[in-house]
Amino acid sequence: MGRGGASQSRTRLRDRYNSWLRHHRLSAADSLHRVLEHPWSSMLTWMVIGIALALPVGLNVALDNAQTISTSWDSPAQISVFLEADVTSLTARKLTLELATRDDIAKTVFHSREDALAEFSTLTGFSDVLASLDQNPLPHLIIVSPHADGAQNTAALLQEELQARPEVAQAVLDMEWLARLNSLMELSRRIILAVGGLLVMGVVLILGNTIRLAIENRRDEIVIVKLIGGSDAFVRRPFLYTGLWFGVGGGGISAFLVGLSLWFLERPVNNLALLYQSDFTIHGLGIMGGLNLIVLGGLLGLSGAALAVSRHLSSIQPR
Amino acid sequence: MISFERISKRYGEGHDALREVSFKIEKDELVFLTGHSGAGKSTILRLIMLMERPTRGEVVVNGRPLRKIGPRAIPHYRRDIGVVFQNHQLLFDRTVFDNVALPLIICGYDHREVGRRVRAALDKVGLLSRERAMPIALSGGQQQRVGIARAIVAKPTILLADEPTGNLDPALSAEIMHLFEAFNQVGVTVLIASHDLALISRLHHRIITLKQGKLIAGGAH
Ligand SMILES: Nc1ncnc2c1ncn2[C@@H]1O[C@H](COP(=O)(O)OP(=O)(O)O)[C@@H](O)[C@H]1O
Ligand SMILES: [Mg+2]
């Protein structure tokens, strides 16, 4: 009896699992069929979702590319090292060579005070005034370029270190433009995040509304199904699948749109890179990025549908 | 099988649709429920379906007090009852076959079993040849028979019908009633609400009569 009971309940469990699976398959197929039955209105929904997702994703990809460009630029910052007045030309040259051997420094260029004075006088035309000076007032100058892959603060550290040396009168880090660029990028990233958040919310609401209309259209059917014993999960299932299909389609469209715009930009960007003798190439979403977008769309579709279903299904009861 | 024990039902703050109604229907019985419009016939069927809860009293179906069946248990409870309700008719965007198959899909039968049972049910109501038709292509009497096939396809122990002959001519109405008698013969408890006294008094079954929410005849047998 015990054995028989156990195996019987196991087959009943298997039966229930099978019928559950069967209804999932049925709902998925039926919902897909309904979505494809009205290709134009479904396409419209897909496009709306696709565009709403493509905007932030596309901007983010563009920003990623911009960031690769800005970090791949040579010498993001330069340090002008002015030496003390009593440092001789020989010491200065030695120092220039010594600094050039450091790992964190890419390049050093020495400008002697004599060169500087000559340049100054030809540029300003004050040669007579300068000739009358009995002493050259200009210091020796070494232009130091930190390594490109070094972050902003390694350049700053280097500047401090150079400043601390006895031969150095002043080391000036010229990197304001870089800081500005970086904070601009950070700002753009946040704006994209905020806009993206809003658009994602919009997508959920659009899908929720689409599903609400679908529920409204099938009101009679829901009432009948509930009357003849359909559970809440049973009634809910096809609508969740409808949301899923709309979301997945929208995600697919957005991946396509992002891909399309990158393809559109590729030629001019490559030409530009060629002009600047950079080996920069534009980076797209990749297969994984595209799949992620489709999954994201699907999740948003499910959430929108869950929202609509939880708000509207329980109020529909047989009377 | 079905027992009403001093049932009262008040809708909102309005008047009483049922007042202290008591009756018992045994398994194997076919019972008619009659009375003028507004007498409370539909309310009795809605109480059995748990579409409404009584204000006072206790309904017991198949030995279960309905008071003890919570909202989550309602779907499962309803699967054991077949209904033919006027205002819950067929789905007009699917075939006759798909309409009749719905209760079986809900119960989770595999498609071979669904096909077998749907054809058996359609055969019983004489519409086997129309399984691929859309309901709109059928006559009123045929649509009603599809509704009955849907109500009995999952082999319920109880069959409820609310004015099943409402819009049909006398000949078709009699045909529909004979169909219900046939299901009753094979052991299904049948309860039919109908105000067509001329028709039902010819059929020699118990008749429960309601008047303004009160049971005035047929409560005991
Ligand atoms: N949902 C409802 N809200 C308020 N009153 C109702 C509702 N349903 C029915 N009634 C009232 O209850 C009484 C009985 O209705 P019903 O059971 O439908 O009668 P019958 O089916 O015999 O015509 C009627 O007076 C009707 O107006
Ligand atoms: Mg009625």
Side-chain angles (χ1 to χ4, degrees):
Chain A
M1 177 69 222
R3 268 184 66 104
S7 80
Q8 193 178 352
S9 80
R10 202 174 309 138
T11 47
R12 284 205 43 191
L13 208 64
R14 171 130 35 86
D15 276 354
R16 285 183 59 177
Y17 172 71
N18 281 342
S19 69
W20 176 84
L21 205 65
R22 198 152 38 232
H23 188 245
H24 268 282
R25 225 177 293 138
L26 214 63
S27 307
D30 183 59
S31 299
L32 187 61
H33 182 74
R34 280 172 192 273
V35 167
L36 297 178
E37 207 172 31
H38 306 282
W40 289 115
S41 70
S42 297
M43 198 53 179
L44 218 62
T45 310
W46 282 334
M47 286 300 280
V48 168
I49 295 162
I51 291 168
L53 288 181
L55 261 169
V57 172
L59 288 176
N60 206 41
V61 169
L63 202 63
D64 280 343
N65 281 300
Q67 204 136 45
T68 6
I69 299 179
S70 79
T71 54
S72 71
W73 263 329
D74 287 334
S75 52
Q78 282 189 341
I79 303 172
S80 306
V81 180
F82 299 99
L83 303 181
E84 295 285 1
D86 59 357
V87 174
T88 64
S89 178
L90 189 66
T91 322
R93 277 177 207 282
K94 269 190 194 157
L95 183 62
T96 307
L97 292 176
E98 183 203 323
L99 288 177
T101 62
R102 286 179 56 135
D103 280 344
D104 52 352
I105 291 175
K107 203 166 77 173
T108 54
V109 179
F110 176 63
H111 292 272
S112 70
R113 59 199 332 177
E114 292 78 23
D115 290 349
L117 188 67
E119 198 178 340
F120 187 71
S121 60
T122 53
L123 278 178
T124 58
F126 286 153
S127 46
D128 296 342
V129 183
L130 291 171
S132 69
L133 293 173
D134 54 350
Q135 209 185 338
N136 184 347
L138 297 175
H140 290 302
L141 170 66
I142 307 173
I143 305 282
V144 172
S145 307
H147 255 300
D149 53 354
Q152 204 180 340
N153 64 333
T154 57
L157 284 177
L158 185 60
Q159 180 258 336
E160 273 174 32
E161 199 187 322
L162 293 173
Q163 179 76 69
R165 293 181 78 112
E167 312 93 312
V168 174
Q170 203 181 8
V172 179
L173 181 57
D174 174 24
M175 50 170 278
E176 236 168 76
W177 69 273
L178 188 66
R180 248 183 249 144
L181 184 69
N182 277 339
S183 57
L184 208 64
M185 290 235 186
E186 182 60 26
L187 181 67
S188 319
R189 180 88 58 198
R190 277 170 194 233
I191 289 175
I192 289 171
L193 209 64
V195 169
L198 284 176
L199 286 171
V200 158
M201 235 157 71
V203 166
V204 170
L205 292 180
I206 289 167
L207 282 164
N209 195 48
T210 308
I211 300 303
R212 184 183 65 79
L213 291 176
I215 290 174
E216 223 35 70
N217 277 335
R218 294 170 71 183
R219 198 182 185 93
D220 293 345
E221 180 181 344
I222 293 166
V223 167
I224 289 174
V225 167
K226 284 193 174 181
L227 189 64
I228 59 185
S231 63
D232 286 352
F234 183 94
V235 176
R236 201 157 43 217
R237 215 162 281 150
F239 296 106
L240 293 181
Y241 272 106
T242 306
L244 182 70
W245 296 138
F246 276 129
V248 163
I253 297 260
S254 75
F256 174 75
L257 288 178
V258 171
L260 194 70
S261 15
L262 289 177
W263 173 80
F264 184 66
L265 288 177
E266 196 167 16
R267 273 274 287 281
V269 166
N270 285 346
N271 285 342
L272 204 67
L274 220 58
L275 287 179
Y276 281 81
Q277 300 181 331
S278 153
D279 55 0
F280 172 78
T281 52
I282 205 159
H283 287 285
L285 272 178
I287 300 273
M288 279 321 286
L291 285 181
N292 280 344
L293 256 181
I294 292 174
V295 169
L296 174 71
L299 288 178
L300 293 180
L302 271 180
S303 336
L307 195 73
V309 160
S310 71
R311 290 211 37 191
H312 302 288
L313 267 193
S314 57
S315 68
I316 302 179
Q317 293 291 349
R319 284 277 164 253
Chain B
M1 192 99 257
I2 301 172
S3 115
F4 272 52
E5 183 74 29
R6 299 170 64 125
I7 292 294
S8 297
K9 174 65 188 176
R10 172 174 288 183
Y11 285 108
E13 289 301 305
H15 71 269
D16 299 315
L18 294 177
R19 300 173 215 207
E20 305 260 319
V21 171
S22 300
F23 62 84
K24 216 176 217 116
I25 297 172
E26 299 300 332
K27 188 169 161 47
D28 301 342
E29 259 196 298
L30 187 158
V31 175
F32 289 111
L33 204 53
T34 193
H36 292 298
S37 171
K41 306 181 291 293
S42 299
T43 300
I44 285 182
L45 299 182
R46 284 205 291 265
L47 287 171
I48 296 172
M49 282 312 283
L50 281 176
M51 293 152 78
E52 299 286 352
R53 300 275 185 176
T55 313
R56 270 195 311 280
E58 181 155 79
V59 183
V60 179
V61 176
N62 286 338
R64 291 175 81 185
L66 299 196
R67 185 167 31 82
K68 296 212 173 127
I69 298 180
R72 298 179 59 83
I74 288 179
H76 214 266
Y77 162 77
R78 284 180 181 159
R79 286 177 206 172
D80 203 26
I81 304 177
V83 284
V84 183
F85 278 7
Q86 255 178 335
N87 48 344
H88 301 305
Q89 281 300 343
L90 305 177
L91 299 172
F92 284 88
D93 62 343
R94 359 190 135 177
T95 62
V96 166
F97 182 98
D98 289 342
N99 267 281
V100 176
L102 201 53
L104 301 175
I105 305 283
I106 287 171
C107 292
Y109 289 98
D110 75 60
H111 81 275
R112 214 168 312 140
E113 187 69 8
V114 169
R116 210 177 56 72
R117 290 198 184 208
V118 168
R119 289 194 187 94
L122 283 174
D123 193 29
K124 279 182 201 147
V125 300
L127 285 174
L128 190 51
S129 60
R130 308 304 306 270
E131 61 171 302
R132 290 284 142 222
M134 296 306 271
I136 202 76
L138 304 182
S139 70
Q142 286 174 324
Q143 287 183 13
Q144 195 65 293
R145 277 169 19 215
V146 174
I148 294 170
R150 187 184 70 195
I152 52 97
V153 73
K155 298 199 186 345
T157 57
I158 297 173
L159 183 55
L160 305 179
D162 196 357
E163 308 284 358
T165 60
N167 314 315
L168 303 180
D169 64 47
L172 279 176
S173 300
E175 209 176 285
I176 296 286
M177 288 304 183
H178 290 314
L179 209 46
F180 283 116
E181 286 182 311
F183 292 119
N184 177 237
Q185 306 266 284
V186 297
V188 183
T189 312
V190 182
L191 179 58
I192 303 171
S194 172
H195 64 268
D196 190 352
L197 207 54
L199 172 64
I200 64 179
S201 50
R202 266 186 280 125
L203 291 170
H204 310 295
H205 295 283
R206 176 147 71 106
I207 298 176
I208 295 175
T209 310
L210 294 168
K211 189 175 181 186
Q212 294 175 352
K214 280 199 160 132
L215 190 149
I216 56 170
H221 55 139

